[in-house]
Amino acid sequence: MSAWAARALALADLPGLLAVQHACYGAQYVEGHAVFARRLQSPANLSQVITDAGGRVLAYLAAYRSLQGKVTPLHGDFDTVATPDTAYLHDMAVLPECAGQGLGPALLAALPAQGLRYGALVAVQGAQRYWARHGYQPRALACPTQRLHLAGYGPQAVYMVRE
């Protein structure tokens, strides 16, 4: 059993979330406080966080209810859809010093995705193999707009889906 407990991401967690982003990503993928504050206000929000006993953010999962085949642009909002079928995992990051301790799987296990048929995400920075181990498979995007959103993550970005 994991020693980590995930809970819903809150506005007070955003400074720690940004610190995790800066530790994990190049400047190209860092999204700001205002973006995450708007996402937390979305009724589609499913985001989770893991903190230590002192409240320091160790890992987070930015996720929301969406539709399969819909890619959230980098810095985009979590749009509400009438009949969501997908838990869209927009971003998951773990402090490098906590890697390999089970925080990522703990966040995935805590995702409140009841009633959603799919999981989907954009794998970046070589993460495709990690997500494949969790059952996600590459999927082509039919819509040109969604392909443009995907391209915003860089040439190596891959849209992946799990049923």
Side-chain angles (χ1 to χ4, degrees):
M1 183 168 180
S2 173
W4 311 109
R7 62 167 171 78
L9 182 68
L11 195 58
D13 298 315
L14 294 187
L17 177 148
L18 294 173
V20 172
Q21 272 196 334
H22 284 282
C24 293
Y25 302 137
Q28 175 184 2
Y29 296 112
V30 172
E31 298 177 299
H33 187 279
V35 171
F36 277 97
R38 286 193 312 271
R39 290 171 178 169
L40 289 176
Q41 298 304 312
S42 171
N45 180 47
L46 298 172
S47 301
Q48 300 286 303
V49 65
I50 294 176
T51 60
D52 65 13
R56 181 175 152 218
V57 173
L58 304 177
Y60 69 89
L61 171 61
Y64 74 106
R65 293 172 193 86
S66 187
L67 293 172
Q68 201 246 123
K70 184 177 183 309
V71 173
T72 300
L74 193 60
H75 310 291
D77 291 336
F78 289 175
D79 297 329
T80 303
V81 296
T83 55
D85 64 2
T86 300
Y88 185 87
L89 312 182
H90 178 71
D91 179 21
M92 186 171 80
V94 176
L95 273 177
E97 67 197 65
C98 297
Q101 297 180 26
L103 277 74
L107 286 166
L108 294 173
L111 185 66
Q114 321 73 308
L116 300 175
R117 181 175 177 188
Y118 305 100
L121 56 91
V122 173
V124 298
Q125 295 182 321
Q128 184 175 345
R129 288 171 59 185
Y130 173 86
W131 290 110
R133 289 193 306 269
H134 290 280
Y136 290 83
Q137 298 300 316
R139 177 90 38 104
L141 291 164
C143 175
T145 300
Q146 301 310 315
R147 289 194 303 267
L148 280 174
H149 292 175
L150 178 64
Y153 291 91
Q156 302 302 316
V158 178
Y159 181 70
M160 301 181 78
V161 175
R162 180 181 80 180
E163 196 159 336

